[in-house]
Amino acid sequence: MFGWRRPGARRITGITTAVLTLAGALSLAAPAGAATGDRQGAGPEAAVAERLAERGRAEAEAASAHDATRVNVTRDAGGWAFGTAVLATEPGSQRMPRGWLFLAERRGGTWRVALEGEERFAELSRRSPLVEPREKPLFAGLDGRQDEQGSRDGTPKGGGPGGDEAVVYGAGDYRTGMALPTTVGANTVMTSGPHGWSGSAAPWSSLDFAGGDEVVRAARQGTAYTMCRGWIRVVHDRGYATDYYHLWNNISTDGGWVNTGAFLGYTGTDVTCGGAAYGRHVHFGLIQNGSYIPVAGHNLGKWVIHNGSAAYQGSAMHGSRRVGAGGTLYNYGALGLNQAVIDANGGGQVNKRTGPGTGYAVTGSAADGATVTVSCSASGTSHTGRYGTTSLWNRLSDGTWISDAYVWSGVNGPISGWC
């Protein structure tokens, strides 16, 4: 945030935009129990503004009567509308703008609106001719629900890393498949550690990056959307999305596919939709199911993010090496969902064995910070590492075994099934 402080559907030509203050939008809100946009003849912009105002009202502590609802209809055909809905704050405000993708369907003269992260959004996306095939599987994950028994891919539920927020998102699966939002093979400065999208308030979803070649890149592949000038959102798989704000010369896109590492823009100080930037940087935010979530415990590439004692502090760890806020991170690239990083818990290396336990022969070693690929897992002798005690052992792709106590995989359990 503050950087140095610390194809069947027709796409319309241009973008239809509605801008209202939050107070004005609230005056349009439907009566309790009425469908969103339940006014004959109302266009999608007014209906979306109503829904956005409801969302703002639900966040009353953070909302202001001076906030503006900016509704951009980027696709419109056959009684359907799609676009972005933003609660913009004033430039220089300590509060950042909030925004969502929306879908709207007109039935019987009434627009039914859903915002990203709502169950109806996923339902509408399955039927809407405006949603492209590459978007449909990604939008299906944006229904706002969490599986209480396991993650979406069946990984057993586990807890968060010790010493960080013990909030469980994604059913204990902290893998992102992402890289740092910078150029692979180059350095960047994490100018601010975990903090809220709008400052110190929880959840601490955000990080600030600056320096290096000043290029901001997609942390993972997905579909990209311009929320407003200076602000790009990329929707990924597994319910995740990432925000990139304060950009200069950012791309203009409405669902364009981007690969991991794709150019999004340059670090900057743009506050077109509000908020503050006290030095050139990218304000990066982690989202799951339409809401900002704690970034601590998740990985960005081969770095694991940890909270500090206060907002903007914290650190990132690569193996046993910890770099605090204000330090330089090297972009090693993305960590695969079946990969792990060796964390020797202060040691220089970890023994690899011929079987799942210390009773098996040593057959080499893995250096702290090394990346390994896990084929399957089994129970063996118990060991204690940075994140606790476990009897889980991982069989690596080279046929050797290593204790799960000495790797970071993002899951408190097998990541590639049982052997």
Side-chain angles (χ1 to χ4, degrees):
M1 174 191 175
F2 300 119
W4 296 112
R5 170 193 166 193
R6 356 202 198 223
R10 173 180 64 88
R11 291 176 184 266
I12 64 171
T13 301
I15 297 176
T16 304
T17 305
V19 180
L20 297 167
T21 65
L22 184 56
L26 285 170
S27 70
L28 296 173
T36 300
D38 194 7
R39 299 194 316 282
Q40 294 293 326
E45 298 83 11
V48 176
E50 288 180 9
R51 182 69 192 94
L52 188 59
E54 292 172 0
R55 194 70 170 246
R57 185 165 50 197
E59 300 176 1
E61 291 183 4
S64 166
H66 298 291
D67 291 350
T69 60
R70 299 185 181 182
V71 178
N72 292 345
V73 179
T74 59
R75 309 175 202 173
D76 183 6
W80 288 88
F82 172 84
T84 61
V86 172
L87 280 173
T89 62
E90 296 178 327
S93 168
Q94 299 303 298
R95 294 182 302 104
M96 299 286 277
R98 298 290 300 271
W100 296 268
L101 304 179
F102 76 84
L103 271 165
E105 179 185 25
R106 189 174 182 87
R107 282 189 173 184
T110 297
W111 285 100
R112 307 280 176 162
V113 177
L115 301 181
E116 169 190 357
E118 298 172 353
E119 187 173 356
R120 182 185 288 272
F121 182 88
E123 188 273 324
L124 291 180
S125 71
R126 286 190 287 270
R127 297 190 292 104
S128 176
L130 300 182
V131 179
E132 297 183 356
R134 63 192 175 194
E135 293 174 315
K136 285 185 181 294
L138 303 182
F139 287 3
L142 302 179
D143 59 7
R145 293 178 296 177
Q146 294 291 340
D147 184 348
E148 293 301 325
Q149 301 302 317
S151 67
R152 297 181 186 276
D153 61 359
T155 305
K157 185 172 180 178
D164 281 322
E165 290 181 75
V167 179
V168 176
Y169 287 84
D173 187 344
Y174 287 79
R175 299 173 297 172
T176 65
M178 299 176 189
L180 289 169
T182 56
T183 300
V184 173
N187 290 321
T188 189
V189 178
M190 184 176 71
T191 56
S192 298
H195 55 283
W197 179 250
S198 287
S200 299
W204 292 353
S205 61
S206 305
L207 301 164
D208 294 329
F209 296 101
D213 60 7
E214 304 290 1
V215 174
V216 178
R217 301 185 181 276
R220 182 165 172 79
Q221 65 186 22
T223 52
Y225 306 86
T226 303
M227 304 300 288
C228 70
R229 192 180 74 182
W231 183 5
I232 298 294
R233 173 167 297 169
V234 181
V235 175
H236 312 288
D237 54 5
R238 304 167 70 244
Y240 283 111
T242 47
D243 272 359
Y244 312 77
Y245 192 39
H246 302 317
L247 304 182
W248 285 341
N249 299 321
N250 57 279
I251 62 173
S252 178
T253 177
D254 174 28
W257 183 261
V258 294
N259 289 317
T260 304
F263 173 86
L264 300 180
Y266 295 97
T267 59
T269 57
D270 189 279
V271 290
T272 297
C273 276
Y278 301 134
R280 182 174 179 177
H281 68 286
V282 58
H283 182 52
F284 173 89
L286 184 65
I287 299 168
Q288 193 173 43
N289 290 316
S291 297
Y292 292 107
I293 63 169
V295 68
H298 293 84
N299 69 301
L300 290 179
K302 300 174 184 181
W303 293 91
V304 182
I305 308 303
H306 292 262
N307 285 337
S309 59
Y312 300 97
Q313 298 179 9
S315 60
M317 292 192 69
H318 174 68
S320 294
R321 185 164 71 91
R322 187 185 297 271
V323 176
T328 298
L329 308 184
Y330 179 83
N331 192 341
Y332 296 97
L335 184 71
L337 299 180
N338 65 340
Q339 292 183 318
V341 176
I342 299 295
D343 183 344
N345 201 19
Q349 61 186 24
V350 175
N351 286 333
K352 297 161 68 174
R353 294 184 180 269
T354 58
T358 51
Y360 293 87
V362 174
T363 178
S365 63
D368 185 73
T371 301
V372 294
T373 300
V374 178
S375 299
C376 58
S377 301
S379 295
T381 54
S382 181
H383 298 274
T384 301
R386 188 177 309 281
Y387 302 115
T389 300
T390 181
S391 60
L392 189 72
W393 283 69
N394 299 308
R395 187 178 188 272
L396 307 184
S397 57
D398 64 1
T400 63
W401 293 78
I402 196 164
S403 170
D404 196 60
Y406 301 110
V407 302
W408 187 92
S409 67
V411 176
N412 187 16
I415 60 172
S416 297
W418 295 95
C419 295

